[in-house]
Amino acid sequence: HSGVFHWGHTRHVPLSQSLDEAIQPLLASPGSTAVLLDVDGTLAPIVRDARDASVPVPTRSLMITMTRMYNVVAAVSGRQAEDARRVVAAGGLSYVGGHGSEILLPGESEATIDPSLTDWTEPVQDAASEAVRELSNLGVRREDKGAISAIHWRGTPDEAACERALRAIATRVEDSGLVAHWGRKVLEIRPPSPFDKGLGIRNLLKGRPVRQAIYIGDDLTDIDAFNALAEMDASGELQHIVRIGVNSPETPSELVAAADFMVNGIDGVVEVLEALAEGKA
């Protein structure tokens, strides 16, 4: 795994040589390249309340530049696609939202939602309502994402107590036939239908002349995206992939194991985006 060397400021910081070499095929054939980016913790700094997240203006500018260069530039998020678009606020991007269950293309006003999930919205939200009522004294926050409901405990007075209580709730959720999915200080209640960021990316790229892809992410759900790219590479659908994980104090070890390279925090992500936006092979 390669990090990022921190010296000089010609282009912020140069990428490590091996990562720089890995992105050369993307720069050489931008018309057949997909740039796929997680949002929270990758493009937008993690904040206590997810509603307050936003992508810094310089990062947004880089992404807009890339939309003019690459075949696909997409933000891939656990948020609903329209909420991801609000946070990123960059025109010309595609958005894969709801952990792959929604796709919002440039210029569209509404996301296309996987129809197999819509029937589950009510039971999922009922289960989340019940959980939040039970834990109201702990200060957890609920975030509805259509057929997914998330319960956040970042910044609560007693994070350990929240996690213990949510472990019990997760067991109950699973027993009821729904799916409990853990992220960074968040428990998501999901339908049992198959969907993840990897499937969302497959649906986004279907029928497009994409032969190279890069994905950058910081959490467990991003491993599904890494795995999908690896499968597409192995099958010959893609000819070159680059999978980058983002280091933070909360980086899951599984992400480090699955990534081709690691960069240091959002600054490290920006360095990669700057190299992609310069576009010189």
Side-chain angles (χ1 to χ4, degrees):
H1 298 305
S2 170
V4 170
F5 296 146
H6 285 265
W7 52 267
H9 284 280
T10 47
R11 180 185 66 209
H12 249 358
V13 178
L15 301 181
S16 67
Q17 187 178 354
S18 52
L19 176 49
D20 198 41
E21 287 168 2
I23 67 169
Q24 293 307 308
L26 314 179
L27 304 180
S29 302
S32 57
T33 291
V35 179
L36 309 163
L37 306 157
D38 171 50
V39 177
D40 293 275
T42 300
L43 294 173
I46 294 283
V47 290
R48 181 182 177 278
D49 190 328
R51 290 170 296 191
D52 297 332
S54 66
V55 172
V57 171
T59 307
R60 195 178 298 159
S61 300
L62 289 170
M63 295 177 73
I64 293 167
T65 298
M66 289 191 295
T67 62
R68 302 188 195 109
M69 301 166 61
Y70 295 96
N71 189 287
V72 180
V73 179
V76 184
S77 180
R79 295 173 180 269
Q80 287 184 275
E82 287 179 40
D83 191 38
R85 182 166 64 182
R86 176 188 66 80
V87 172
V88 178
L93 267 72
S94 298
Y95 292 87
V96 178
H99 293 296
S101 62
E102 303 180 350
I103 291 180
L104 181 61
L105 298 176
E108 289 186 348
S109 57
E110 285 186 12
T112 303
I113 300 173
D114 183 336
S116 70
L117 301 178
T118 47
D119 291 345
W120 291 100
T121 300
E122 195 173 330
V124 162
Q125 296 197 358
D126 286 349
S129 296
E130 189 180 343
V132 170
R133 268 198 308 276
E134 272 181 46
L135 305 186
S136 58
N137 61 321
L138 290 173
V140 298
R141 296 179 305 285
R142 175 179 168 189
E143 178 192 4
D144 284 325
K145 312 174 184 183
I148 305 170
S149 202
I151 302 169
H152 296 268
W153 70 89
R154 180 180 301 279
T156 54
D158 189 342
E159 291 187 348
C162 290
E163 186 170 354
R164 281 195 302 274
L166 283 166
R167 293 271 166 207
I169 283 167
T171 302
R172 191 173 74 211
V173 162
E174 297 270 359
D175 289 345
S176 77
L178 297 172
V179 174
H181 193 283
W182 298 92
R184 287 168 59 176
K185 301 193 179 179
V186 59
L187 170 67
E188 288 185 340
I189 302 173
R190 298 179 169 194
S193 313
F195 68 96
D196 59 41
K197 287 183 174 182
L199 286 171
I201 286 169
R202 283 181 172 278
N203 288 333
L204 176 69
L205 298 184
K206 203 175 285 175
R208 292 176 184 261
V210 168
R211 294 291 168 263
Q212 299 85 227
I214 182 170
Y215 186 95
I216 311 179
D218 74 313
D219 205 353
L220 291 170
T221 59
D222 297 307
I223 297 172
D224 295 321
F226 285 175
N227 291 343
L229 292 190
E231 288 160 13
M232 293 171 80
D233 186 46
S235 71
E237 294 167 79
L238 294 175
Q239 291 162 2
H240 183 72
I241 62 171
V242 184
R243 301 168 301 173
I244 300 178
V246 185
N247 270 321
S248 79
E250 298 170 5
T251 304
S253 57
E254 299 93 330
L255 182 83
V256 179
D260 300 317
F261 301 93
M262 295 297 295
V263 295
N264 293 323
I266 288 179
D267 288 348
V269 175
V270 169
E271 288 150 20
V272 178
L273 299 184
E274 285 176 337
L276 290 170
E278 279 189 8
K280 299 185 188 75

